[in-house]
């Protein structure tokens, strides 16, 4: 196997290569650090490269492997990236704010602890939009994060660095987070798998939650096997969590392998009550619906009404910028605008109550269906800097339309997974999302596994990195 093939080898396969001693953790880490040094100057996918820490950890794990290759954690010696909205002890964490570039974390966040316990080696901190607020990753003071399929275009956001690094072979698997599509959207932009799990599946420790439950940690991976295994590794209750799901009775890494019985699948090429997708995105959904029908599922066109959720969701979501506590002058204009749209505590709680009321009705749609098939975003990625000259109100309007199929399921707390289903007329990936019942990640993963050999997304490889202009 050559070095490029190894870089694009799924993480679960890398674990087997390590255990059989065909490759060492140190060799893997050095491979990815070399690729980062070669390509990341063009991509801007990492804020921080943890080269010294990763090599030291890899050497220690390589020595351990030489003495004992049994009873190892599931991802022993496999590299991973961590989104820079999560803290890694003694590593800078700047949340995409240039003035915080020298701020060092004093502890690991809970999900980072889970990754270490699973045996991962941390490669570095991937880029995010400032405070994770935008679906493109261009925070002032940092390189913009670019799409490996065409460097003129965005990789999405706010997990744009994670999706770009993964698609370019700068890590084998990636941590992300999703508060309004921030895993699913970047996965769709870059042609990888992106899972937003159910609210409470993965702990937000040491904090209680993110934006009254809108945000959750998530998975970006090359295939369903990796997605399921990383979900297993990150899941679980941590003392004091305000909400949680019981541990899955069967690990996701096992349950996804059992094909689902005939499912009731609803699909909609648009969010039909208020947002229209571009023709190629509509076609991607209808084509996938036909594939699911051919697989024996009961498929019909239907979609819950979600437009009345927008106002309450927006009120809660924009409050996250103000909740950062940072002075406005440290923020980019769009975040200054969001933070200045002040509301009082009573208005915030009214928005929470309204969001929960509407979400209850939306989840009721799944009384009649097992899965909903939708677009991820409503059109293909924008060019890097395409909206930079617009005022904040214009940016907000365009963002709200582009990402419209994602936020409703942050509000409801349901699991949703973005899956690549080919390429559009610009050579950029096309994707769809599957949305399941609360707690039904196993159903989504097993259905996605049925689609995987048909679309063969695990074999996607980027062309030579270059910009058109």
């Amino acid at each position: 196997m050559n070095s490029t093939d190894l870089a694009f080898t799924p993480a679960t396969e890398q674990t087997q290569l390590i255990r059989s001693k065909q490759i060492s953790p140190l060799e893997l880490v050095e491979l990815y650090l070399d690729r980062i040094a070669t390509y990341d100057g063009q991509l801007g996918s990492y804020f921080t490269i943890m080269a010294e820490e990763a090599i030291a950890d890899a050497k220690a794990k390589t020595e351990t492997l030489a003495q004992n290759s049994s009873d190892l954690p599931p991802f022993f010696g496999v590299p991973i990236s961590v989104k820079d909205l999560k803290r890694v002890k003694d590593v800078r964490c700047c949340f995409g704010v240039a003035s915080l570039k020298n701020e060092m974390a004093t502890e690991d966040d809970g999900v980072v602890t889970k990754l270490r316990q699973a045996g991962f080696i941390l490669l570095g901190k991937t880029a995010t939009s400032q405070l994770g607020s935008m679906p493109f990753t261009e925070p002032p003071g940092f390189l913009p994060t670019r799409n490996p399929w065409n460097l003129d275009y965005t990789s999405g956001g706010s997990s744009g660095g994670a999706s770009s690094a993964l698609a370019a072979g700068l890590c084998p698997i990636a941590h992300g987070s999703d508060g309004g599509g921030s895993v699913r959207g970047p996965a769709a932009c870059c042609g990888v798998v992106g899972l937003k799990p159910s609210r409470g599946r993965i702990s937000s420790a040491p904090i209680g939650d993110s934006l009254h439950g809108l945000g959750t940690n998530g998975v970006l991976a090359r295939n369903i096997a990796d997605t399921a295994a990383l979900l297993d590794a990150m899941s679980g209750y941590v003392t004091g969590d305000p909400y949680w799901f019981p541990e899955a009775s069967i690990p996701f890494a096992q349950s996804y392998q059992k094909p689902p019985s005939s499912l009731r699948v609803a699909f909609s090429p648009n969010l039909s009550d208020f947002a229209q997708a571009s023709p190629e995105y509509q076609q991607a959904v209808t084509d996938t619906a036909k594939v699911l029908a051919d697989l024996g599922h009961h498929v019909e066109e239907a979609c819950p009404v979600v437009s009345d959720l927008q106002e309450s969701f927006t009120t809660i979501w924009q409050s996250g910028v103000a909740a950062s506590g940072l002075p406005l002058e440290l923020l980019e204009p769009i975040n200054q605008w969001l933070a200045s749209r002040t509301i009082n505590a009573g208005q915030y709680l009214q928005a929470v109550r309204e969001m929960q009321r509407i979400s209850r009705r939306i989840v009721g749609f799944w009384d009649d269906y097992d899965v909903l098939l939708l677009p991820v975003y409503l059109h293909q990625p924008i060019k890097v800097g395409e909206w930079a000259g617009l005022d904040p109100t214009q940016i907000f309007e365009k963002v709200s339309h582009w990402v419209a199929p994602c936020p409703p399921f942050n509000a409801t707390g349901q699991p949703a997974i973005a899956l690549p289903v080919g390429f559009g007329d610009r050579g950029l990936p096309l994707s769809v999302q599957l949305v399941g019942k609360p707690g039904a990640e196993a159903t989504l993963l097993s259905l996605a596994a049925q689609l995987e050999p048909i679309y063969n997304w695990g074999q996607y490889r980027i062309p030579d990195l270059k910009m058109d202009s």
Side-chain angles (χ1 to χ4, degrees):
M1 182 183 299
N2 64 41
S3 61
T4 300
D5 288 340
L6 182 58
F8 284 90
T9 297
T12 47
E13 295 179 24
Q14 290 183 355
T15 64
Q16 299 307 311
L17 295 174
I18 289 171
R19 289 167 192 270
S20 63
K21 300 183 180 179
Q22 297 179 61
I23 189 76
S24 73
L26 182 58
E27 290 170 314
L28 264 184
V29 165
E30 289 177 337
L31 167 65
Y32 285 110
L33 291 177
D34 285 346
R35 290 184 64 84
I36 291 168
T38 300
Y39 296 115
D40 199 51
Q42 294 173 278
L43 291 171
S45 63
Y46 282 89
F47 281 165
T48 301
I49 310 302
M50 295 168 53
E52 291 185 9
E53 299 93 330
I55 289 173
D57 193 8
K59 286 180 177 179
K61 283 183 166 61
T62 298
E63 292 175 4
T64 298
L65 187 68
Q67 300 168 8
N68 176 26
S69 58
S70 62
D71 195 30
L72 298 173
F75 284 101
F76 181 85
V78 175
I80 192 171
S81 63
V82 177
K83 183 178 176 181
D84 201 49
L85 293 184
K86 295 298 174 182
R87 295 173 176 85
V88 174
K89 186 178 181 181
D90 297 329
V91 178
R92 71 174 184 166
C93 187
C94 54
F95 306 97
V97 180
S99 61
L100 301 182
K101 282 184 178 181
N102 295 321
E103 294 292 318
M104 307 296 284
T106 58
E107 62 179 345
D108 284 344
D109 276 354
V111 71
V112 174
T113 299
K114 292 274 191 180
L115 296 177
R116 293 192 194 276
Q117 291 171 344
F120 281 110
I121 297 172
L122 310 186
L123 280 173
K125 306 293 293 299
T126 50
T128 175
S129 55
Q130 189 180 84
L131 301 178
S133 68
M134 289 291 109
F136 47 87
T137 305
E138 304 171 23
F142 300 85
L143 290 175
T145 305
R146 298 179 180 274
N147 194 315
W149 295 97
N150 186 324
L151 296 176
D152 290 328
Y153 291 85
T154 184
S155 63
S158 61
S159 302
S163 62
S164 177
L166 179 62
L170 307 191
C171 60
I173 196 167
H175 159 271
S177 60
D178 192 315
S182 288
V183 161
R184 290 162 288 161
C189 288
C190 293
V192 296
V193 176
L195 174 67
K196 181 198 83 69
S198 300
R199 179 178 299 144
R201 179 68 70 189
I202 301 174
S203 174
S204 294
I207 64 171
D209 71 5
S210 175
L211 293 177
H212 231 99
L214 295 183
T216 180
N217 294 288
V219 178
L220 293 118
R222 299 194 195 290
N223 63 16
I224 302 306
D226 281 10
T227 304
L230 183 51
L231 180 60
D232 282 327
M234 292 199 298
S235 295
Y237 172 78
V238 175
T239 302
D241 285 344
Y243 30 66
W244 64 92
F245 270 100
E247 185 177 346
S249 58
I250 302 173
F252 296 114
Q254 296 177 21
S255 63
Y256 90 88
Q257 299 180 53
K258 181 181 179 181
S261 56
S262 181
L263 298 173
R264 301 166 298 168
V265 179
F267 78 96
S268 179
N270 305 289
L271 284 178
S272 53
D273 59 320
F274 80 110
Q276 298 293 307
S278 66
E280 62 182 350
Y281 274 36
Q282 293 186 45
Q283 191 65 51
V285 170
T286 55
D287 288 348
T288 306
K290 183 179 185 304
V291 170
L292 291 172
D294 291 343
L295 287 169
H297 301 290
H298 178 74
V299 179
E300 63 183 56
E301 188 166 356
C303 187
V305 173
V306 299
S307 57
D308 53 348
L309 192 61
Q310 188 172 24
E311 183 177 354
S312 57
F313 176 93
T314 300
T315 296
I316 298 164
W317 176 77
Q318 72 186 31
S319 299
V321 177
S324 72
L326 293 172
L328 290 183
E329 60 268 20
L330 300 183
L331 303 180
E332 61 185 327
I334 181 65
N335 281 333
Q336 291 181 9
W337 179 76
L338 288 169
S340 65
R341 291 163 60 87
T342 55
I343 58 172
N344 62 40
Q347 291 170 319
Y348 179 88
L349 291 175
Q350 287 172 357
V352 170
R353 182 176 62 197
E354 183 69 359
M355 182 183 74
Q356 292 174 344
R357 183 188 67 79
I358 297 170
S359 293
R360 187 180 295 274
R361 188 206 70 223
I362 292 172
V363 176
F365 178 84
W366 277 259
D367 291 344
D368 298 318
Y369 299 98
D370 299 300
V371 173
L372 173 62
L373 167 66
L374 288 173
V376 181
Y377 282 171
L378 292 180
H379 58 77
Q380 287 212 327
I382 61 171
K383 285 195 169 185
V384 171
E386 184 171 333
W387 294 343
L390 303 180
D391 66 46
T393 57
Q394 293 172 312
I395 294 174
F396 187 76
E397 181 179 356
K398 286 183 176 293
V399 164
S400 298
H401 175 266
W402 187 29
V403 308
C406 287
F409 310 110
N410 294 88
T412 64
Q414 292 170 260
I417 189 168
L419 302 173
V421 293
F423 293 85
D425 56 10
R426 299 175 186 171
L428 294 168
L430 295 173
S431 289
V432 299
Q433 69 172 324
L434 305 176
V435 185
K437 296 180 179 182
E441 288 91 340
T443 298
L444 294 185
L445 290 167
S446 62
L447 185 58
Q450 281 193 306
L451 294 171
E452 189 165 33
I454 296 170
Y455 290 104
N456 204 27
W457 52 69
Q459 299 304 310
Y460 285 9
R461 295 287 182 89
I462 60 168
D464 292 336
L465 295 175
K466 60 184 178 182
M467 286 183 281
D468 290 341
S469 56

